[in-house]
Amino acid sequence: EDKVVQSPLSLVVHEGDTVTLNCSYEVTNFRSLLWYKQEKKAPTFLFMLTSSGIEKKSGRLSSILDKKELFSILNITATQTGDSAIYLCAVYNTGNQFYFGTGTSLTVIP
Amino acid sequence: KAGVTQTPRYLIKTRGQQVTLSCSPISGHRSVSWYQQTPGQGLQFLFEYFSETQRNKGNFPGRFSGRQFSNSRSEMNVSTLELGDSALYLCASSLGGGVLTFGAGSRLTVL
């Protein structure tokens, strides 16, 4: 059965901390892995990763994919209260289907 | 450029009723997919439409159905509502190729 597992399920950190969110997957016919941020309602796109070992970076956020070990990490450095959200990992396969993890709920305390 | 628009945003129904949710994708996006989000289950894939054809379907009972019109707008219908159908229903559109753009969702409460 195709699945995506995220860990931890939730975490609470203080402003300025660095966090690492994990996403492992078992999805046949892998095409890409995507990260989304969901603050209130609509998830918003962060990164799409297709190749192993190539880091994608946007400001304080970065992500990398390991297609051999079937996982990805999302790093957030110097966290801010505005980073508080649910972070979703999704895998897209060649059958045009998405598989989402249950998400990691991040709370950043001032 | 308008985003993905979902209506209604909130609705309350009672068990046994049926509901129809609407989604207008970003102009030019031909793929529309639907997801159910609940606290314990995360995002569960319902179905995906591309050019009016259902291309993929998730593991939901037949009470959940959908369709896509020629202008790419999509509707999903849930018949004979159950308490467990209470959830946030998210619609997403894409050009194809992997990046989904989500709407704000329709929050359904079944009493």
Side-chain angles (χ1 to χ4, degrees):
Chain A
E1 182 186 348
D2 297 308
K3 62 180 179 181
V4 175
V5 179
Q6 293 186 245
S7 63
L9 289 180
S10 65
L11 72 163
V12 180
V13 301
H14 289 94
E15 267 193 322
D17 288 349
T18 294
V19 297
T20 298
L21 310 183
N22 303 293
C23 175
S24 63
Y25 62 92
E26 293 177 26
V27 176
T28 53
N29 301 315
F30 174 94
R31 188 168 170 180
S32 61
L33 184 145
L34 299 95
W35 286 95
Y36 284 84
K37 177 182 181 182
Q38 186 176 24
E39 291 181 81
K40 295 225 171 137
K41 291 285 193 270
T44 54
F45 172 74
L46 293 175
F47 299 111
M48 181 168 73
L49 303 149
T50 56
S51 301
S52 279
I54 299 174
E55 185 183 54
K56 291 282 183 88
K57 196 170 172 65
S58 176
R60 297 176 294 100
L61 278 66
S62 64
S63 183
I64 198 162
L65 173 67
D66 186 328
K67 289 169 72 175
K68 182 180 177 185
E69 300 297 329
L70 307 183
F71 78 90
S72 173
I73 60 172
L74 174 68
N75 279 318
I76 309 174
T77 60
T79 51
Q80 303 171 356
T81 55
D83 296 327
S84 295
I86 296 173
Y87 290 84
L88 298 166
C89 173
V91 173
Y92 182 54
N93 71 6
T94 56
N96 300 304
Q97 192 152 354
F98 283 87
Y99 297 88
F100 279 84
T102 52
T104 293
S105 177
L106 173 65
T107 302
V108 182
I109 300 171
Chain B
K1 186 175 180 181
V4 178
T5 304
Q6 291 189 245
T7 56
R9 293 290 311 278
Y10 302 90
L11 63 166
I12 300 174
K13 294 285 187 178
T14 56
R15 280 178 296 175
Q17 288 187 309
Q18 67 102 27
V19 66
T20 299
L21 309 178
S22 178
C23 173
S24 294
I26 290 174
S27 178
H29 286 195
R30 293 163 66 189
S31 171
V32 174
S33 51
W34 289 88
Y35 297 84
Q36 181 194 67
Q37 187 176 30
T38 56
Q41 297 293 318
L43 265 75
Q44 302 288 307
F45 171 71
L46 282 154
F47 25 67
E48 185 232 357
Y49 288 88
F50 185 87
S51 294
E52 301 180 66
T53 300
Q54 187 181 86
R55 194 159 65 171
N56 282 298
K57 190 177 191 309
N59 294 323
F60 278 81
R63 301 185 297 106
F64 292 80
S65 62
R67 58 179 175 169
Q68 186 180 32
F69 301 96
S70 58
N71 62 357
S72 291
R73 190 177 71 85
S74 177
E75 289 181 348
M76 68 162 281
N77 184 276
V78 188
S79 62
T80 319
L81 285 165
E82 301 176 359
L83 294 178
D85 297 333
S86 294
L88 178 67
Y89 290 87
L90 290 164
C91 166
S93 73
S94 74
L95 279 170
V99 179
L100 299 173
T101 302
F102 285 88
S106 293
R107 170 75 63 184
L108 171 65
T109 301
V110 182
L111 302 176

